[in-house]
């Protein structure tokens, strides 16, 4: 009787060799070969929708700042002013969207390493970078053209905004302090644009309030990014390497102090008229009372910033109901102040 011997590994290997002497690995393993990777054909609307998302229409809420100067002057409902202010809103929406497209194209690799920004259409590969840049250039041209329709001064402000923001995207975003100042200047130029479109004189206290309010939000944004970087270990932006939490708190506290002081001085001047040979008239009571919700709103916003949730100011405003109520109360009080002052000069 011939003994049955189990096949040796060598014999198994010999038995799986093909006619050309190579080993058939499929016969020596139980693991199936991976299926070939096939890419799904993108939907025809994927790129247009991705391009629209990359333009960040949710960020257009920031452009309501163009209404600040006409509102403070009591001219917001003036039919001779409102169309030009609406054009300012459109112009800055177009310009800001163009800046976002260029910025996301420049930062595509960094965004892919970010826990949230990697889902942006350009970083996710939905929108080609070339298409994004070309669309951004078209939006810049359209923004300047729309501005000229309203007022040449508005076109100048829009052009300066585009140049400053492009310099930020391409060169200055990694420079500490400079980056915060440029981000805050974007908010300030929106307020100036509203005044330029309406042909209004802008009070120095109004400009200081807008400037340091913008710096307060910009420094809070950086502080929130630093907290996110500490929690996730993600490299958010290079300029954060030069910042410390204590420094950002210093800028944040300084800005909050100045914006409250500047607003108080501005509010106490509303309704005051100088009469030759007599004492100036008393300020508007409504304007004085408006200081209360304004200060509370700043402190409420600071709570969100201190918790590291101030990465996007519009998200805080849209998500905090108490802050929205405070803002509504402030709008009503300021509306009463400026319109009663206009009605009784």
């Amino acid at each position: 009787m011939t003994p049955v011997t189990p096949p040796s590994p060598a014999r198994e290997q010999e038995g799986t060799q093909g006619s050309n002497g190579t080993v058939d690995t499929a016969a020596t393993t139980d693991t199936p070969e991976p299926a070939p990777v096939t890419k799904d054909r993108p939907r025809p609307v994927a790129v247009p929708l991705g391009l629209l998302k990359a333009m960040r229409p949710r960020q257009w809420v920031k452009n309501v700042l163009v209404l600040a100067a006409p509102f403070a002057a009591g001219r917001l409902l003036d039919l001779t002013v409102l169309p030009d202010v609406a054009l300012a809103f459109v112009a800055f929406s177009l310009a800001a969207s163009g800046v976002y497209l260029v910025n996301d194209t420049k930062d595509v690799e960094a965004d892919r390493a970010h826990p949230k920004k990697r889902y942006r259409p350009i970083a996710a590969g939905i929108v080609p970078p070339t298409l994004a840049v070309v669309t951004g250039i078209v939006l810049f041209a359209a923004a300047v053209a729309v501005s000229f329709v309203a007022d040449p001064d508005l076109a100048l402000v829009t052009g300066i905004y585009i140049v400053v923001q492009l310099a930020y995207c391409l060169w200055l975003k990694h420079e500490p302090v400079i980056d915060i100042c440029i981000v805050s200047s974007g908010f300030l130029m929106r307020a100036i644009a509203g005044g330029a479109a309406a042909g209004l004189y802008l009070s120095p206290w109004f400009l200081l309030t807008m400037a340091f309010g913008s710096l307060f939000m910009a420094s809070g944004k950086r502080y929130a990014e630093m907290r996110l970087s500490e929690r996730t270990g993600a490299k958010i932006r290079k300029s954060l390497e030069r910042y410390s939490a204590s420094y950002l708190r210093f800028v944040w506290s300084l800005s909050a102090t100045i914006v409250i002081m500047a607003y108080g001085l501005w509010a106490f001047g509303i309704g005051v008229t100088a009469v030759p040979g007599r004492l100036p008239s008393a300020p508007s009571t409504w304007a004085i009372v408006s200081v209360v919700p304004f200060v509370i709103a700043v402190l409420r916003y600071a709570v969100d910033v201190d918790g590291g949730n101030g990465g996007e100011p519009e998200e805080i405003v849209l998500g905090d109901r108490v802050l929205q109520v405070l803002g509504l109360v402030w709008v009503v009080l300021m509306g009463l102040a400026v319109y009663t002052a206009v009605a009784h000069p």
Side-chain angles (χ1 to χ4, degrees), residues 114-116 218-237 239-241 243-246 248-249 252 301-312:
H114 192 281
K116 293 183 179 179
S219 58
K221 178 181 174 72
R222 288 292 180 267
Y223 180 78
E225 290 174 343
M226 176 172 286
R227 291 288 302 272
L228 178 62
S229 178
E230 292 173 350
R231 290 197 302 263
T232 64
K235 186 177 181 180
I236 307 299
R237 61 178 70 247
S239 62
L240 289 179
E241 299 174 358
Y243 289 128
S244 63
S246 59
L248 291 174
R249 281 178 173 272
W252 170 31
Y301 188 91
V303 171
D304 293 318
V305 173
D306 189 54
N309 300 319
E312 296 295 342

Side-chain angles (χ1 to χ4, degrees), residues 8 53 66 128 153 158 212 252 303 334:
S8 65
K53 184 178 179 181
V66 301
D153 289 340
T158 304
F212 283 95
W252 170 31
V303 171
M334 278 299 294

Side-chain angles (χ1 to χ4, degrees), residues 9 17 23 29 48 70 75 110 127 153 199 207 222 259 263 273 286 298 308 332-333 342 344:
Q17 286 182 347
V23 177
T29 178
R75 301 283 304 278
V127 176
D153 289 340
L207 291 174
R222 288 292 180 267
V259 73
Y263 178 80
T273 56
W286 299 114
V298 171
V332 171
L333 291 173
V342 172
H344 302 88

Side-chain angles (χ1 to χ4, degrees), residues 278-298:
R278 298 173 57 184
L279 292 174
S281 61
S284 169
T285 303
W286 299 114
I288 295 175
V289 176
S290 73
V291 175
V292 176
F294 182 86
V295 173
I296 296 175
V298 171

